Amino acid sequence: IIRHRPLTYDLTPSQLPSTMTASEDEKKDAETMADVDQECDDDNDDNDAADNGAEEGEGAAAGKKKKKKKKKKKKSPSAAAASTAASGSGPGANGTPSKIAECRLLGEGSFTDYYVAHGQTEPPSIPVVDLFRSSDDTSAQLPPFPTGEIQEHPLDSNSHRLTSAELRHDERLASSLYDQLRHASEVHRQVRHHAQSFVRPGIKLVDMCTRLENLNRQLVQEDGLRRGIGFPTGCSLNHVAAHYTPNNGDDTVLQYDDVMKVDFGTQIDGRIIDSAWTVAFNPRYDPLLEAVKEATDAGIRAAGIDVRLCDVGEAIQEVMESYEVELDGKTFPVKCIRNLNGHSIGPYQIHAGKSVPIVKSSDETKMEENEIFAIETFGTTGRGYIVEDLECSHYMKNFHAPHVPLRLSGAKKLLAHVNKTFGTLAFCRRWLEREDGGSFAVNGNKGKQEKYLGALKNLCDVGIVQPYPPLVDVKGCYTAQYEHTLVLRPTCKEILSRGDDY
């Protein structure tokens, strides 16, 4: 269950003198006053020795002056904060990134703790909204949310866009949309960078996913459908290309020779950032990872306003299939998984209708202004075609689900829970079995679903909920994936999820 941890400041005792000195002084003053009161009582009881009592009182007062220590000079709050920032510890202090991940083919100079340069703690604990501000909020003393990588739109017909005053005005009108996307993107970047520091051989996949998702909830300040996780964390291994996350009881452990695709999302007001990378530790897989990574970048370069989807797929395939990988003395050509695609993204809709192929096709549908796309590519050493297999963990309510009368009370209860907790966002069985049922903000500690599998099957059978089983190529092969989310702004395209890692 995710609760926001109170921020802690690593201050030395000398930086916190006010509370400590005040409490010590109050204690000494109380002891002194008790002594004075006792002396006064003695003076009143002993009328015959009034003069002597007075002299004793003066002696006690003199003793009091001797006992009282000189107070130390207190540091002002501003001086303490400056000292904390200078030491590089504590929230709001800009530190220097220094940690390097063990994963292969991350960007040169990529640090898993890059976020300390923005004032984040290590490990991350401060919600991202407390580190940055929206572009139109100039009153806040914070930098704006980081802008993604900017590229010009291809095609000669778009050459005027970068300098058009009218189109820049249109972008200003959509600034709130871009702020939401950049906010979600920065959360995704910080979560995945930290994940790259603990994803290593020997970790249980269920522990990895839980830790990553807990951090995702914390940094985005999970608030039900307003803010939270975009979809379950995918950690598909080897021949499994997508849609695998461990159910409770699955004790699969990441091995040195595994190739794992880590795919997770963050959403703010339904605006989903979908981004993925491939984790490998054995250098023999480098050509496979490089092929998919370069193919994804080729697809991003080809995308733009008025670009045909088939042209994007052709550019991806040309790069992907120019690579080959040698495994155990055999050479395998890297193939595109031809029945997997990128996709457009809508509010609370991870697949909004348009599919971006990763092979040459005849789809002449064009990309349009202000559309959001996930450009993702999959490469394999296998046959290049996936099928559904293995135990299902991913589910999602159909965006256009029909109204179907339900007879099972358990199905009605589960549907009500899905509607208020996830809406049309994807979810997994692991989340239903949490104490909060997938959202502490919505359900508190009373959201856990018991004996729900029959009700879930009923919702799938009537078409309200869609199951998404793992997608697998031929057993024994290896698959890789890279993915970025971009928005086609009127003047340019912005690769929102781009980081120094990939």
Side-chain angles (χ1 to χ4, degrees), residues 289-304:
L289 272 61
E290 186 178 353
V292 183
K293 190 175 183 180
E294 291 298 323
T296 301
D297 288 341
I300 291 171
R301 289 192 297 270

Side-chain angles (χ1 to χ4, degrees), residues 205-221:
L205 296 187
V206 67
D207 294 339
M208 182 201 76
C209 292
T210 300
R211 187 171 173 183
L212 186 152
E213 289 165 357
N214 285 349
L215 182 61
N216 200 351
R217 291 185 175 97
Q218 184 177 4
L219 296 192
V220 80
Q221 284 187 315

